[in-house]
């Protein structure tokens, strides 16, 4: 098993754009030649675009991009920028009167961190697509992870900085890579050591988020808003829509290993899975690798994040 970049998978481009001052941004995964895709939405408060068409019973068999963004439901507008960019580049289904690219997306809630009146829009989405031409993926406070935060159960004064992370692996000819923007209500756990990397912190010491909920469940009738972890897995293994959908579900095990608690009513946790259909491979093997990739992306997102917007980052937790 060797480590690879998401863009090492043939035909895949990744771009990001953010407004650092306003603490928001977006990240796009582009497959211009089209990719078979599936999605699994587990959180109770999702903001998504074009997820219904990924149902295996529906007609469209391939998509051309996934847009991950901040801005809550407002941020879904960033996908319109990807639509424009792809159309200008001749990407999409030829419908005689127009070429229509298919762009799916999901947004996280970062409006409480920076300037709530600045959100990812069509222009920002377009610039993220332009950035994909540079073949450079930044981690931490970039793209959809710019304004991300974690561990908000006791308010933002005890929350920490989230971010965006990417990771990939190759075993033989099989490639699986991903990107995740981490903005969880709960804590982030090192899935290998069980150490709390980031989350609810009191005097620079992280405490159990699940235990806080159990101890205060008579008072905490509703968890704090402002959450959602969103991600995308890409593989070169040939998969059907149904198999992509199944792998998306399996990939949520990576969330479960790394986020505590996960899939809450105030999270919109979502994972897309794309297949470039290049090589034959075992579906269950892809699932195993996808879980590892998701967990590693989450870990990297937290470890690469920098303190900002009044939020302490992992890098400064023990200083």
């Amino acid at each position: 098993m060797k480590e690879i970049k998401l863009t090492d998978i043939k035909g895949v481009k990744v771009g990001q754009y953010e407004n650092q001052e306003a603490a928001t941004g977006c990240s796009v995964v582009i497959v211009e030649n089209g990719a078979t895709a599936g999605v699994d939405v587990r959180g109770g408060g999702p903001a998504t675009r074009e997820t219904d068409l990924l149902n295996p019973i529906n007609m469209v068999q391939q998509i051309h991009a996934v847009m991950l963004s901040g801005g809550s439901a407002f941020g879904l507008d960033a996908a319109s920028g990807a639509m424009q960019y792809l159309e200008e580049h001749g990407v999409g289904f030829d419908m005689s009167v127009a070429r229509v690219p298919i762009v799916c997306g999901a947004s996280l809630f970062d409006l409480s961190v920076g300037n709530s009146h600045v959100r990812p829009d069509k222009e920002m989405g377009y610039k993220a697509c332009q950035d994909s031409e540079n073949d450079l993926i930044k981690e931490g406070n970039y793209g959809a992870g710019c304004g991300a935060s974690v561990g908000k159960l006791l308010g933002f004064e005890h929350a920490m900085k989230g971010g965006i992370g990417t990771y990939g692996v190759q075993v033989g000819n099989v490639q699986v890579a991903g990107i995740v923007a981490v903005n969880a209500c709960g804590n982030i756990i090192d899935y290998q050591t069980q150490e709390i990397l980031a989350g609810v912190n009191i005097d620079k010491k992280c405490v159990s988020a699940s235990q806080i909920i159990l101890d205060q469940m008579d008072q905490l009738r509703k968890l704090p808003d402002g959450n959602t972890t969103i991600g995308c897995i890409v593989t070169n293994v040939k998969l059907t829509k149904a198999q992509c959908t199944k792998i998306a579900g399996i990939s949520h095990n990576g969330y479960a290993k790394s986020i505590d608690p996960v899939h809450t009513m105030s999270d919109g946790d979502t994972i897309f899975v794309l297949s470039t259909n290049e090589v034959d491979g075992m579906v269950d093997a892809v699932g195993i690798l996808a879980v590892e990739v998701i967990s590693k992306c989450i870990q990297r997102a937290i470890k690469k994040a920098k303190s900002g917007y009044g939020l302490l980052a992992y890098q400064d937790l023990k200083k």
Side-chain angles (χ1 to χ4, degrees), residues 273-289:
V273 169
L274 309 183
S275 164
T276 60
N277 294 299
E278 292 288 335
V279 303
D280 293 317
M282 184 181 181
V283 177
D284 287 304
V286 175
I288 291 171
L289 295 176

Side-chain angles (χ1 to χ4, degrees), residues 153 184-189 208-211 213 223 255-256 258-264 267 269:
L153 289 174
C185 177
N187 289 351
I188 305 305
I189 312 298
S208 170
S210 289
Q211 194 60 50
I213 293 175
L223 296 181
Y255 280 8
S258 305
I259 303 172
D260 178 46
V262 69
H263 305 144
T264 73
D267 284 289
D269 299 336

Side-chain angles (χ1 to χ4, degrees), residues 40-150:
D40 193 311
V41 181
R42 296 282 178 95
T48 56
R49 167 194 163 108
E50 293 280 44
T51 52
D52 282 350
L53 66 77
L54 297 183
N55 187 318
I57 70 172
N58 290 332
M59 179 182 68
V60 173
Q61 293 300 308
Q62 290 193 321
I63 71 170
H64 304 97
V66 169
M67 180 67 73
L68 307 176
S69 73
S72 189
F74 293 108
L76 295 174
D77 191 36
S80 297
M83 292 281 289
Q84 179 183 341
Y85 176 89
L86 293 171
E87 182 185 27
E88 290 175 357
H89 286 74
V91 176
F93 292 107
D94 188 354
M95 306 301 291
S96 298
V97 294
R99 186 171 288 275
V100 183
I102 304 299
V103 180
C104 298
S107 298
L108 56 82
F109 191 106
D110 56 10
L111 302 179
S112 302
V113 176
N115 185 342
S116 62
H117 298 291
V118 177
R119 308 105 176 200
D121 55 12
K122 182 177 181 179
E123 180 182 4
M124 191 178 288
Y126 187 89
K127 288 180 177 179
C129 292
Q130 289 181 315
D131 179 67
S132 71
E133 300 165 10
N134 298 323
D135 192 25
L136 176 65
I137 311 175
K138 296 179 180 180
E139 297 175 285
N141 301 16
Y142 295 96
C146 182
S149 56
V150 299

Side-chain angles (χ1 to χ4, degrees), residues 18 34-35 75 77 89 135 146-147 166 191 215 217 250-251 274 284 301:
E18 63 282 324
D77 191 36
H89 286 74
D135 192 25
C146 182
T166 183
Y191 67 105
D215 289 344
M217 61 183 174
I250 293 171
S251 298
L274 309 183
D284 287 304

Side-chain angles (χ1 to χ4, degrees), residues 104-272:
C104 298
S107 298
L108 56 82
F109 191 106
D110 56 10
L111 302 179
S112 302
V113 176
N115 185 342
S116 62
H117 298 291
V118 177
R119 308 105 176 200
D121 55 12
K122 182 177 181 179
E123 180 182 4
M124 191 178 288
Y126 187 89
K127 288 180 177 179
C129 292
Q130 289 181 315
D131 179 67
S132 71
E133 300 165 10
N134 298 323
D135 192 25
L136 176 65
I137 311 175
K138 296 179 180 180
E139 297 175 285
N141 301 16
Y142 295 96
C146 182
S149 56
V150 299
K152 287 153 274 194
L153 289 174
L154 297 180
F156 273 92
E157 62 269 28
H158 296 289
M160 290 184 64
K161 188 72 184 70
I164 197 162
T166 183
Y167 183 75
V169 293
Q170 179 167 340
V171 179
N173 293 326
V174 172
Q175 296 174 312
V176 180
I179 187 167
V180 180
V182 184
N183 189 60
C185 177
N187 289 351
I188 305 305
I189 312 298
D190 185 319
Y191 67 105
Q192 295 166 310
T193 67
Q194 296 304 299
E195 173 193 3
I196 302 177
L197 299 178
V200 183
N201 88 90
I202 299 176
D203 296 327
K204 290 191 174 183
K205 182 179 179 179
C206 290
V207 297
S208 170
S210 289
Q211 194 60 50
I212 289 172
I213 293 175
L214 295 176
D215 289 344
Q216 301 185 25
M217 61 183 174
D218 290 336
Q219 293 79 36
L220 284 174
R221 297 301 183 185
K222 181 177 181 295
L223 296 181
D225 294 321
N227 308 299
T228 297
T229 297
I230 49 179
C232 181
I233 285 285
V234 185
T235 181
N236 65 343
V237 173
K238 297 175 183 177
L239 299 174
T240 65
K241 283 180 71 176
Q243 289 169 334
C244 284
T245 301
K246 183 60 178 178
I247 296 298
I250 293 171
S251 298
H252 273 279
N253 291 339
Y255 280 8
K257 289 169 62 176
S258 305
I259 303 172
D260 178 46
V262 69
H263 305 144
T264 73
M265 293 302 295
S266 65
D267 284 289
D269 299 336
T270 300
I271 299 178
F272 295 92

